[in-house]
Amino acid sequence: MDEKDSLRPEENGQEEEFDTRPAWQRMKEGWYDKVPLSVRQLDIIIALGLIGLAVMAVVIFLDASGYF
């Protein structure tokens, strides 16, 4: 018997577990595996980037409206 065969969950009385996480979360965690930073650090960087985009959108809107 192969060692690989003996590790099957069905043979050991264990049931196979299904991944119940949403697809976006699995994709996000896959990205995190490629970057040597913690999840918290990456979340902070992403949040700062989104805040920066929002600030730029407000500045562009105010400039287009004639406030600057």
Side-chain angles (χ1 to χ4, degrees):
M1 182 191 289
D2 227 15
E3 182 180 325
K4 184 171 43 172
D5 291 336
S6 66
L7 296 177
R8 282 192 222 157
E10 308 88 38
E11 291 179 3
N12 295 331
Q14 302 169 350
E15 292 193 22
E16 187 175 333
E17 293 182 25
F18 292 103
D19 194 359
T20 58
R21 296 174 298 162
W24 65 268
Q25 187 175 4
R26 286 192 304 267
M27 184 175 59
K28 179 175 135 178
E29 289 173 2
W31 292 341
Y32 288 166
D33 291 339
K34 297 177 184 177
V35 181
L37 297 172
S38 71
V39 173
R40 181 175 169 83
Q41 290 170 328
L42 283 174
D43 283 342
I44 290 171
I45 291 169
I46 292 169
L48 290 174
L50 291 174
I51 291 169
L53 284 172
V55 168
M56 289 306 300
V58 169
V59 168
I60 290 170
F61 176 75
L62 291 175
D63 185 41
S65 298
Y67 288 107
F68 285 116

Short mmCIF file of all heavy atoms in Angstrom, two decimals:
data_model
loop_
_atom_site.label_atom_id
_atom_site.label_comp_id
_atom_site.label_asym_id
_atom_site.label_seq_id
_atom_site.Cartn_x
_atom_site.Cartn_y
_atom_site.Cartn_z
N MET A 1 0.85 -1.18 0.00
CA MET A 1 0.00 0.00 0.00
C MET A 1 0.89 1.24 0.00
O MET A 1 1.87 1.31 0.71
CB MET A 1 -0.92 0.00 1.22
CG MET A 1 -1.82 1.19 1.19
SD MET A 1 -2.75 1.51 2.68
CE MET A 1 -3.92 0.23 2.75
N ASP A 2 0.54 2.19 -0.77
CA ASP A 2 1.26 3.44 -0.90
C ASP A 2 1.03 4.29 0.34
O ASP A 2 -0.04 4.28 0.93
CB ASP A 2 0.71 4.17 -2.13
CG ASP A 2 1.80 4.69 -3.02
OD1 ASP A 2 2.95 4.30 -2.89
OD2 ASP A 2 1.45 5.52 -3.86
N GLU A 3 2.01 5.09 0.73
CA GLU A 3 1.83 6.01 1.85
C GLU A 3 0.79 7.06 1.51
O GLU A 3 0.00 7.48 2.33
CB GLU A 3 3.15 6.67 2.21
CG GLU A 3 3.06 7.59 3.40
CD GLU A 3 4.40 8.22 3.73
OE1 GLU A 3 5.42 7.56 3.55
OE2 GLU A 3 4.37 9.39 4.15
N LYS A 4 0.78 7.48 0.26
CA LYS A 4 -0.16 8.49 -0.19
C LYS A 4 -1.60 7.98 -0.07
O LYS A 4 -2.50 8.70 0.31
CB LYS A 4 0.15 8.86 -1.65
CG LYS A 4 -0.70 9.97 -2.19
CD LYS A 4 -0.24 10.47 -3.55
CE LYS A 4 0.13 9.38 -4.50
NZ LYS A 4 0.40 9.84 -5.85
N ASP A 5 -1.81 6.69 -0.37
CA ASP A 5 -3.14 6.12 -0.28
C ASP A 5 -3.64 6.04 1.15
O ASP A 5 -4.82 6.16 1.41
CB ASP A 5 -3.16 4.72 -0.91
CG ASP A 5 -2.97 4.76 -2.41
OD1 ASP A 5 -3.27 5.82 -3.01
OD2 ASP A 5 -2.52 3.75 -2.98
N SER A 6 -2.75 5.80 2.09
CA SER A 6 -3.17 5.66 3.48
C SER A 6 -3.54 7.00 4.10
O SER A 6 -4.12 7.04 5.17
CB SER A 6 -2.08 5.00 4.31
OG SER A 6 -0.95 5.84 4.37
N LEU A 7 -3.21 8.10 3.44
CA LEU A 7 -3.51 9.41 3.98
C LEU A 7 -4.84 9.98 3.49
O LEU A 7 -5.19 11.10 3.80
CB LEU A 7 -2.38 10.40 3.64
CG LEU A 7 -1.02 10.07 4.26
CD1 LEU A 7 0.01 11.07 3.79
CD2 LEU A 7 -1.09 10.07 5.77
N ARG A 8 -5.56 9.20 2.73
CA ARG A 8 -6.86 9.69 2.25
C ARG A 8 -7.82 9.83 3.42
O ARG A 8 -7.93 8.93 4.26
CB ARG A 8 -7.44 8.70 1.25
CG ARG A 8 -6.82 8.81 -0.10
CD ARG A 8 -7.63 8.04 -1.10
NE ARG A 8 -6.73 7.34 -1.97
CZ ARG A 8 -7.01 6.27 -2.66
NH1 ARG A 8 -8.20 5.73 -2.57
NH2 ARG A 8 -6.12 5.72 -3.43
N PRO A 9 -8.56 10.92 3.49
CA PRO A 9 -9.47 11.14 4.63
C PRO A 9 -10.58 10.10 4.70
O PRO A 9 -11.03 9.75 5.77
CB PRO A 9 -10.06 12.53 4.39
CG PRO A 9 -9.38 13.09 3.21
CD PRO A 9 -8.52 12.04 2.61
N GLU A 10 -11.02 9.57 3.55
CA GLU A 10 -12.13 8.61 3.57
C GLU A 10 -11.73 7.32 4.28
O GLU A 10 -12.53 6.70 4.96
CB GLU A 10 -12.59 8.25 2.15
CG GLU A 10 -12.91 9.40 1.23
CD GLU A 10 -11.70 9.91 0.47
OE1 GLU A 10 -10.84 9.12 0.04
OE2 GLU A 10 -11.60 11.13 0.32
N GLU A 11 -10.47 6.91 4.13
CA GLU A 11 -10.02 5.66 4.72
C GLU A 11 -9.75 5.79 6.21
O GLU A 11 -9.79 4.81 6.94
CB GLU A 11 -8.74 5.18 4.02
CG GLU A 11 -8.98 4.74 2.60
CD GLU A 11 -7.69 4.29 1.94
OE1 GLU A 11 -6.64 4.27 2.61
OE2 GLU A 11 -7.74 3.95 0.76
N ASN A 12 -9.47 6.99 6.68
CA ASN A 12 -9.15 7.19 8.08
C ASN A 12 -10.38 7.56 8.90
O ASN A 12 -10.24 7.96 10.05
CB ASN A 12 -8.09 8.29 8.24
CG ASN A 12 -6.77 7.88 7.63
OD1 ASN A 12 -6.46 6.69 7.58
ND2 ASN A 12 -6.01 8.84 7.17
N GLY A 13 -11.54 7.48 8.33
CA GLY A 13 -12.77 7.82 9.05
C GLY A 13 -13.03 9.31 9.13
O GLY A 13 -13.91 9.75 9.84
N GLN A 14 -12.26 10.10 8.41
CA GLN A 14 -12.45 11.54 8.40
C GLN A 14 -13.19 11.93 7.13
O GLN A 14 -13.02 11.31 6.10
CB GLN A 14 -11.11 12.25 8.44
CG GLN A 14 -10.25 11.92 9.62
CD GLN A 14 -8.85 12.47 9.44
OE1 GLN A 14 -8.49 12.93 8.37
NE2 GLN A 14 -8.06 12.40 10.50
N GLU A 15 -14.02 12.93 7.24
CA GLU A 15 -14.70 13.42 6.06
C GLU A 15 -13.92 14.58 5.47
O GLU A 15 -13.24 15.31 6.18
CB GLU A 15 -16.11 13.88 6.42
CG GLU A 15 -17.00 12.73 6.82
CD GLU A 15 -18.45 13.14 6.87
OE1 GLU A 15 -18.79 14.14 6.22
OE2 GLU A 15 -19.21 12.46 7.54
N GLU A 16 -14.01 14.73 4.17
CA GLU A 16 -13.30 15.81 3.49
C GLU A 16 -13.95 17.14 3.84
O GLU A 16 -15.16 17.28 3.80
CB GLU A 16 -13.37 15.57 1.98
CG GLU A 16 -12.54 16.52 1.19
CD GLU A 16 -12.55 16.17 -0.29
OE1 GLU A 16 -12.74 15.01 -0.63
OE2 GLU A 16 -12.37 17.10 -1.08
N GLU A 17 -13.11 18.12 4.18
CA GLU A 17 -13.63 19.45 4.51
C GLU A 17 -13.65 20.31 3.26
O GLU A 17 -12.72 20.30 2.48
CB GLU A 17 -12.73 20.11 5.56
CG GLU A 17 -12.77 19.42 6.89
CD GLU A 17 -11.91 20.14 7.92
OE1 GLU A 17 -11.69 21.36 7.76
OE2 GLU A 17 -11.47 19.48 8.85
N PHE A 18 -14.73 21.07 3.11
CA PHE A 18 -14.86 21.96 1.97
C PHE A 18 -14.53 23.37 2.42
O PHE A 18 -14.81 23.77 3.54
CB PHE A 18 -16.28 21.91 1.39
CG PHE A 18 -16.59 20.60 0.75
CD1 PHE A 18 -17.37 19.66 1.39
CD2 PHE A 18 -16.08 20.29 -0.50
CE1 PHE A 18 -17.65 18.44 0.81
CE2 PHE A 18 -16.35 19.08 -1.11
CZ PHE A 18 -17.14 18.15 -0.44
N ASP A 19 -13.92 24.12 1.52
CA ASP A 19 -13.56 25.51 1.81
C ASP A 19 -14.81 26.36 1.67
O ASP A 19 -15.34 26.52 0.58
CB ASP A 19 -12.46 25.96 0.85
CG ASP A 19 -11.80 27.24 1.29
OD1 ASP A 19 -12.20 27.80 2.32
OD2 ASP A 19 -10.88 27.69 0.59
N THR A 20 -15.28 26.92 2.78
CA THR A 20 -16.52 27.70 2.76
C THR A 20 -16.25 29.19 2.64
O THR A 20 -17.20 29.97 2.68
CB THR A 20 -17.34 27.43 4.04
OG1 THR A 20 -16.54 27.76 5.17
CG2 THR A 20 -17.77 25.98 4.11
N ARG A 21 -14.98 29.58 2.50
CA ARG A 21 -14.67 31.01 2.36
C ARG A 21 -15.15 31.51 1.00
O ARG A 21 -15.15 30.77 0.03
CB ARG A 21 -13.17 31.24 2.48
CG ARG A 21 -12.60 30.88 3.83
CD ARG A 21 -11.12 31.00 3.84
NE ARG A 21 -10.58 30.05 2.88
CZ ARG A 21 -9.36 30.10 2.37
NH1 ARG A 21 -8.55 31.04 2.73
NH2 ARG A 21 -8.95 29.20 1.51
N PRO A 22 -15.53 32.80 0.93
CA PRO A 22 -15.91 33.37 -0.37
C PRO A 22 -14.72 33.38 -1.33
O PRO A 22 -13.55 33.37 -0.91
CB PRO A 22 -16.32 34.80 -0.03
CG PRO A 22 -16.44 34.87 1.44
CD PRO A 22 -15.68 33.73 2.02
N ALA A 23 -15.02 33.41 -2.61
CA ALA A 23 -13.97 33.37 -3.64
C ALA A 23 -13.04 34.56 -3.52
O ALA A 23 -11.83 34.42 -3.70
CB ALA A 23 -14.60 33.32 -5.02
N TRP A 24 -13.57 35.76 -3.22
CA TRP A 24 -12.71 36.94 -3.12
C TRP A 24 -11.72 36.80 -1.98
O TRP A 24 -10.58 37.25 -2.07
CB TRP A 24 -13.53 38.22 -2.96
CG TRP A 24 -14.31 38.29 -1.68
CD1 TRP A 24 -15.59 37.88 -1.47
CD2 TRP A 24 -13.85 38.78 -0.42
NE1 TRP A 24 -15.95 38.08 -0.17
CE2 TRP A 24 -14.92 38.63 0.50
CE3 TRP A 24 -12.66 39.32 0.03
CZ2 TRP A 24 -14.80 39.01 1.84
CZ3 TRP A 24 -12.55 39.69 1.36
CH2 TRP A 24 -13.63 39.54 2.25
N GLN A 25 -12.11 36.14 -0.90
CA GLN A 25 -11.20 35.97 0.23
C GLN A 25 -10.09 34.97 -0.11
O GLN A 25 -8.93 35.19 0.25
CB GLN A 25 -11.97 35.50 1.45
CG GLN A 25 -11.11 35.46 2.70
CD GLN A 25 -11.92 35.09 3.94
OE1 GLN A 25 -13.10 34.81 3.86
NE2 GLN A 25 -11.27 35.11 5.08
N ARG A 26 -10.43 33.90 -0.81
CA ARG A 26 -9.40 32.94 -1.22
C ARG A 26 -8.42 33.61 -2.18
O ARG A 26 -7.21 33.40 -2.09
CB ARG A 26 -10.05 31.73 -1.89
CG ARG A 26 -10.73 30.81 -0.91
CD ARG A 26 -11.11 29.50 -1.58
NE ARG A 26 -11.94 29.66 -2.74
CZ ARG A 26 -13.27 29.64 -2.75
NH1 ARG A 26 -13.93 29.45 -1.64
NH2 ARG A 26 -13.94 29.80 -3.87
N MET A 27 -8.93 34.44 -3.10
CA MET A 27 -8.08 35.14 -4.06
C MET A 27 -7.16 36.13 -3.32
O MET A 27 -5.97 36.21 -3.59
CB MET A 27 -8.94 35.87 -5.08
CG MET A 27 -8.14 36.55 -6.17
SD MET A 27 -9.16 37.28 -7.46
CE MET A 27 -10.16 38.43 -6.55
N LYS A 28 -7.72 36.87 -2.36
CA LYS A 28 -6.96 37.84 -1.59
C LYS A 28 -5.84 37.14 -0.81
O LYS A 28 -4.71 37.61 -0.80
CB LYS A 28 -7.91 38.56 -0.63
CG LYS A 28 -7.29 39.59 0.26
CD LYS A 28 -8.37 40.28 1.07
CE LYS A 28 -8.00 40.42 2.50
NZ LYS A 28 -8.98 41.10 3.31
N GLU A 29 -6.14 36.02 -0.19
CA GLU A 29 -5.13 35.29 0.57
C GLU A 29 -4.06 34.72 -0.36
O GLU A 29 -2.90 34.59 0.03
CB GLU A 29 -5.78 34.21 1.41
CG GLU A 29 -6.57 34.78 2.57
CD GLU A 29 -7.37 33.76 3.31
OE1 GLU A 29 -7.31 32.56 2.96
OE2 GLU A 29 -8.07 34.14 4.27
N GLY A 30 -4.43 34.39 -1.58
CA GLY A 30 -3.45 33.93 -2.56
C GLY A 30 -2.47 35.03 -2.91
O GLY A 30 -1.28 34.78 -3.10
N TRP A 31 -2.96 36.26 -3.01
CA TRP A 31 -2.08 37.41 -3.27
C TRP A 31 -1.15 37.62 -2.10
O TRP A 31 0.02 37.95 -2.26
CB TRP A 31 -2.88 38.67 -3.51
CG TRP A 31 -3.68 38.68 -4.77
CD1 TRP A 31 -3.51 37.89 -5.87
CD2 TRP A 31 -4.76 39.54 -5.06
NE1 TRP A 31 -4.44 38.20 -6.82
CE2 TRP A 31 -5.22 39.21 -6.35
CE3 TRP A 31 -5.41 40.53 -4.35
CZ2 TRP A 31 -6.29 39.86 -6.95
CZ3 TRP A 31 -6.48 41.19 -4.95
CH2 TRP A 31 -6.90 40.85 -6.24
N TYR A 32 -1.66 37.48 -0.87
CA TYR A 32 -0.86 37.70 0.32
C TYR A 32 0.29 36.71 0.41
O TYR A 32 1.34 37.02 0.97
CB TYR A 32 -1.71 37.62 1.58
CG TYR A 32 -2.64 38.78 1.79
CD1 TYR A 32 -3.67 38.72 2.71
CD2 TYR A 32 -2.50 39.97 1.07
CE1 TYR A 32 -4.52 39.78 2.92
CE2 TYR A 32 -3.36 41.03 1.27
CZ TYR A 32 -4.36 40.93 2.21
OH TYR A 32 -5.20 41.98 2.42
N ASP A 33 0.12 35.50 -0.11
CA ASP A 33 1.18 34.50 -0.08
C ASP A 33 2.38 34.91 -0.93
O ASP A 33 3.49 34.45 -0.70
CB ASP A 33 0.66 33.14 -0.56
CG ASP A 33 -0.32 32.53 0.42
OD1 ASP A 33 -0.30 32.94 1.60
OD2 ASP A 33 -1.11 31.66 0.01
N LYS A 34 2.17 35.78 -1.90
CA LYS A 34 3.24 36.18 -2.81
C LYS A 34 4.05 37.36 -2.29
O LYS A 34 5.09 37.68 -2.85
CB LYS A 34 2.65 36.54 -4.18
CG LYS A 34 1.98 35.37 -4.85
CD LYS A 34 1.36 35.76 -6.15
CE LYS A 34 0.62 34.57 -6.75
NZ LYS A 34 -0.06 34.90 -7.97
N VAL A 35 3.58 38.04 -1.24
CA VAL A 35 4.25 39.24 -0.74
C VAL A 35 4.77 38.95 0.68
O VAL A 35 4.03 38.44 1.51
CB VAL A 35 3.26 40.43 -0.69
CG1 VAL A 35 3.92 41.68 -0.19
CG2 VAL A 35 2.66 40.66 -2.07
N PRO A 36 6.03 39.28 0.96
CA PRO A 36 6.60 38.96 2.28
C PRO A 36 6.21 39.96 3.37
O PRO A 36 7.05 40.48 4.09
CB PRO A 36 8.11 38.99 2.02
CG PRO A 36 8.27 39.99 0.94
CD PRO A 36 7.05 39.83 0.06
N LEU A 37 4.93 40.26 3.49
CA LEU A 37 4.42 41.15 4.53
C LEU A 37 3.28 40.44 5.25
O LEU A 37 2.68 39.51 4.71
CB LEU A 37 3.90 42.45 3.94
CG LEU A 37 4.91 43.36 3.23
CD1 LEU A 37 4.19 44.50 2.53
CD2 LEU A 37 5.91 43.90 4.21
N SER A 38 2.95 40.91 6.43
CA SER A 38 1.82 40.31 7.15
C SER A 38 0.51 40.81 6.52
O SER A 38 0.47 41.82 5.81
CB SER A 38 1.87 40.68 8.63
OG SER A 38 1.55 42.04 8.81
N VAL A 39 -0.55 40.11 6.83
CA VAL A 39 -1.87 40.49 6.31
C VAL A 39 -2.26 41.86 6.82
O VAL A 39 -2.80 42.68 6.07
CB VAL A 39 -2.92 39.43 6.71
CG1 VAL A 39 -4.31 39.88 6.33
CG2 VAL A 39 -2.60 38.10 6.06
N ARG A 40 -1.95 42.14 8.07
CA ARG A 40 -2.28 43.46 8.64
C ARG A 40 -1.55 44.58 7.90
O ARG A 40 -2.13 45.62 7.59
CB ARG A 40 -1.93 43.47 10.12
CG ARG A 40 -2.26 44.77 10.81
CD ARG A 40 -2.00 44.68 12.30
NE ARG A 40 -2.06 45.96 12.94
CZ ARG A 40 -3.17 46.56 13.34
NH1 ARG A 40 -4.31 45.97 13.14
NH2 ARG A 40 -3.13 47.73 13.93
N GLN A 41 -0.26 44.38 7.61
CA GLN A 41 0.51 45.39 6.90
C GLN A 41 -0.06 45.62 5.50
O GLN A 41 -0.17 46.76 5.05
CB GLN A 41 1.97 44.98 6.80
CG GLN A 41 2.72 45.01 8.12
CD GLN A 41 4.08 44.37 8.02
OE1 GLN A 41 4.27 43.42 7.26
NE2 GLN A 41 5.02 44.86 8.81
N LEU A 42 -0.41 44.56 4.82
CA LEU A 42 -0.98 44.70 3.48
C LEU A 42 -2.35 45.39 3.52
O LEU A 42 -2.66 46.21 2.65
CB LEU A 42 -1.10 43.34 2.80
CG LEU A 42 0.21 42.78 2.26
CD1 LEU A 42 0.02 41.37 1.75
CD2 LEU A 42 0.74 43.65 1.16
N ASP A 43 -3.15 45.06 4.52
CA ASP A 43 -4.45 45.73 4.65
C ASP A 43 -4.27 47.22 4.87
O ASP A 43 -5.02 48.04 4.33
CB ASP A 43 -5.26 45.11 5.79
CG ASP A 43 -5.88 43.78 5.41
OD1 ASP A 43 -5.98 43.48 4.20
OD2 ASP A 43 -6.27 43.03 6.33
N ILE A 44 -3.28 47.61 5.67
CA ILE A 44 -3.02 49.03 5.92
C ILE A 44 -2.56 49.72 4.64
O ILE A 44 -3.03 50.82 4.31
CB ILE A 44 -1.98 49.20 7.04
CG1 ILE A 44 -2.59 48.77 8.37
CG2 ILE A 44 -1.45 50.62 7.11
CD1 ILE A 44 -1.59 48.68 9.52
N ILE A 45 -1.68 49.08 3.88
CA ILE A 45 -1.21 49.66 2.62
C ILE A 45 -2.36 49.83 1.64
O ILE A 45 -2.50 50.88 0.99
CB ILE A 45 -0.09 48.78 2.02
CG1 ILE A 45 1.16 48.87 2.89
CG2 ILE A 45 0.21 49.18 0.58
CD1 ILE A 45 2.23 47.86 2.56
N ILE A 46 -3.22 48.83 1.54
CA ILE A 46 -4.38 48.90 0.63
C ILE A 46 -5.33 50.01 1.08
O ILE A 46 -5.82 50.79 0.26
CB ILE A 46 -5.08 47.54 0.55
CG1 ILE A 46 -4.18 46.53 -0.16
CG2 ILE A 46 -6.43 47.66 -0.15
CD1 ILE A 46 -4.65 45.09 -0.05
N ALA A 47 -5.58 50.10 2.39
CA ALA A 47 -6.48 51.14 2.90
C ALA A 47 -5.92 52.54 2.63
O ALA A 47 -6.67 53.44 2.23
CB ALA A 47 -6.71 50.94 4.40
N LEU A 48 -4.62 52.72 2.84
CA LEU A 48 -4.01 54.02 2.56
C LEU A 48 -4.10 54.37 1.07
O LEU A 48 -4.35 55.53 0.72
CB LEU A 48 -2.55 54.04 3.01
CG LEU A 48 -2.32 54.02 4.53
CD1 LEU A 48 -0.83 53.89 4.84
CD2 LEU A 48 -2.89 55.27 5.16
N GLY A 49 -3.94 53.39 0.21
CA GLY A 49 -4.08 53.63 -1.22
C GLY A 49 -5.49 54.05 -1.59
O GLY A 49 -5.69 54.98 -2.39
N LEU A 50 -6.48 53.37 -1.01
CA LEU A 50 -7.88 53.73 -1.30
C LEU A 50 -8.22 55.12 -0.75
O LEU A 50 -8.94 55.89 -1.40
CB LEU A 50 -8.82 52.68 -0.71
CG LEU A 50 -8.77 51.31 -1.39
CD1 LEU A 50 -9.63 50.31 -0.64
CD2 LEU A 50 -9.21 51.43 -2.84
N ILE A 51 -7.71 55.44 0.44
CA ILE A 51 -7.94 56.78 1.00
C ILE A 51 -7.29 57.83 0.11
O ILE A 51 -7.88 58.89 -0.16
CB ILE A 51 -7.41 56.85 2.45
CG1 ILE A 51 -8.28 56.00 3.36
CG2 ILE A 51 -7.35 58.29 2.94
CD1 ILE A 51 -7.72 55.79 4.75
N GLY A 52 -6.08 57.55 -0.38
CA GLY A 52 -5.41 58.47 -1.29
C GLY A 52 -6.20 58.70 -2.56
O GLY A 52 -6.31 59.83 -3.04
N LEU A 53 -6.76 57.63 -3.12
CA LEU A 53 -7.59 57.77 -4.32
C LEU A 53 -8.82 58.63 -4.04
O LEU A 53 -9.21 59.46 -4.86
CB LEU A 53 -8.01 56.40 -4.84
CG LEU A 53 -6.95 55.61 -5.58
CD1 LEU A 53 -7.46 54.20 -5.87
CD2 LEU A 53 -6.59 56.30 -6.87
N ALA A 54 -9.45 58.41 -2.88
CA ALA A 54 -10.63 59.19 -2.52
C ALA A 54 -10.28 60.68 -2.36
O ALA A 54 -11.02 61.56 -2.84
CB ALA A 54 -11.26 58.65 -1.25
N VAL A 55 -9.15 60.96 -1.72
CA VAL A 55 -8.72 62.36 -1.54
C VAL A 55 -8.46 63.00 -2.90
O VAL A 55 -8.86 64.15 -3.15
CB VAL A 55 -7.49 62.43 -0.62
CG1 VAL A 55 -6.85 63.80 -0.66
CG2 VAL A 55 -7.86 62.05 0.80
N MET A 56 -7.79 62.29 -3.78
CA MET A 56 -7.52 62.83 -5.11
C MET A 56 -8.81 63.09 -5.88
O MET A 56 -8.92 64.09 -6.60
CB MET A 56 -6.61 61.89 -5.89
CG MET A 56 -5.19 61.85 -5.37
SD MET A 56 -4.40 63.46 -5.25
CE MET A 56 -4.45 64.01 -6.93
N ALA A 57 -9.79 62.20 -5.75
CA ALA A 57 -11.07 62.41 -6.43
C ALA A 57 -11.75 63.67 -5.90
O ALA A 57 -12.31 64.46 -6.69
CB ALA A 57 -11.97 61.19 -6.23
N VAL A 58 -11.70 63.89 -4.60
CA VAL A 58 -12.30 65.11 -4.01
C VAL A 58 -11.57 66.35 -4.49
O VAL A 58 -12.19 67.36 -4.85
CB VAL A 58 -12.32 65.02 -2.46
CG1 VAL A 58 -12.68 66.35 -1.83
CG2 VAL A 58 -13.26 63.92 -2.00
N VAL A 59 -10.23 66.30 -4.52
CA VAL A 59 -9.45 67.45 -4.97
C VAL A 59 -9.75 67.75 -6.44
O VAL A 59 -9.92 68.91 -6.83
CB VAL A 59 -7.94 67.21 -4.74
CG1 VAL A 59 -7.09 68.24 -5.46
CG2 VAL A 59 -7.63 67.19 -3.25
N ILE A 60 -9.83 66.74 -7.26
CA ILE A 60 -10.16 66.94 -8.69
C ILE A 60 -11.55 67.52 -8.83
O ILE A 60 -11.78 68.44 -9.63
CB ILE A 60 -10.01 65.61 -9.46
CG1 ILE A 60 -8.53 65.23 -9.55
CG2 ILE A 60 -10.65 65.71 -10.83
CD1 ILE A 60 -8.29 63.84 -10.07
N PHE A 61 -12.51 67.01 -8.03
CA PHE A 61 -13.88 67.55 -8.10
C PHE A 61 -13.90 69.02 -7.68
O PHE A 61 -14.55 69.84 -8.33
CB PHE A 61 -14.80 66.72 -7.19
CG PHE A 61 -16.19 67.25 -7.13
CD1 PHE A 61 -17.08 67.08 -8.18
CD2 PHE A 61 -16.61 67.95 -6.01
CE1 PHE A 61 -18.36 67.59 -8.11
CE2 PHE A 61 -17.89 68.47 -5.93
CZ PHE A 61 -18.78 68.28 -6.99
N LEU A 62 -13.19 69.35 -6.59
CA LEU A 62 -13.17 70.73 -6.15
C LEU A 62 -12.47 71.64 -7.14
O LEU A 62 -12.89 72.79 -7.35
CB LEU A 62 -12.49 70.82 -4.76
CG LEU A 62 -13.25 70.21 -3.60
CD1 LEU A 62 -12.41 70.26 -2.34
CD2 LEU A 62 -14.59 70.89 -3.40
N ASP A 63 -11.42 71.16 -7.78
CA ASP A 63 -10.71 71.93 -8.78
C ASP A 63 -11.60 72.19 -9.99
O ASP A 63 -11.65 73.29 -10.53
CB ASP A 63 -9.43 71.21 -9.20
CG ASP A 63 -8.58 72.03 -10.16
OD1 ASP A 63 -8.47 73.25 -9.94
OD2 ASP A 63 -8.05 71.42 -11.11
N ALA A 64 -12.34 71.15 -10.40
CA ALA A 64 -13.25 71.30 -11.54
C ALA A 64 -14.41 72.24 -11.23
O ALA A 64 -14.95 72.90 -12.12
CB ALA A 64 -13.76 69.94 -11.99
N SER A 65 -14.78 72.31 -9.95
CA SER A 65 -15.89 73.18 -9.54
C SER A 65 -15.45 74.62 -9.37
O SER A 65 -16.29 75.50 -9.16
CB SER A 65 -16.51 72.68 -8.24
OG SER A 65 -17.04 71.37 -8.42
N GLY A 66 -14.15 74.89 -9.38
CA GLY A 66 -13.67 76.25 -9.28
C GLY A 66 -13.30 76.67 -7.87
O GLY A 66 -13.14 77.86 -7.61
N TYR A 67 -13.21 75.79 -6.93
CA TYR A 67 -12.85 76.13 -5.55
C TYR A 67 -11.36 76.33 -5.39
O TYR A 67 -10.92 76.91 -4.42
CB TYR A 67 -13.33 75.06 -4.57
CG TYR A 67 -14.84 75.08 -4.39
CD1 TYR A 67 -15.64 74.09 -4.93
CD2 TYR A 67 -15.45 76.12 -3.69
CE1 TYR A 67 -17.00 74.10 -4.77
CE2 TYR A 67 -16.83 76.16 -3.55
CZ TYR A 67 -17.59 75.14 -4.08
OH TYR A 67 -18.95 75.18 -3.92
N PHE A 68 -10.53 75.85 -6.31
CA PHE A 68 -9.08 76.04 -6.24
C PHE A 68 -8.62 76.94 -7.34
O PHE A 68 -9.01 76.96 -8.42
CB PHE A 68 -8.33 74.70 -6.34
CG PHE A 68 -8.41 73.89 -5.08
CD1 PHE A 68 -9.05 72.67 -5.06
CD2 PHE A 68 -7.82 74.33 -3.91
CE1 PHE A 68 -9.11 71.89 -3.91
CE2 PHE A 68 -7.87 73.55 -2.76
CZ PHE A 68 -8.51 72.34 -2.76
#
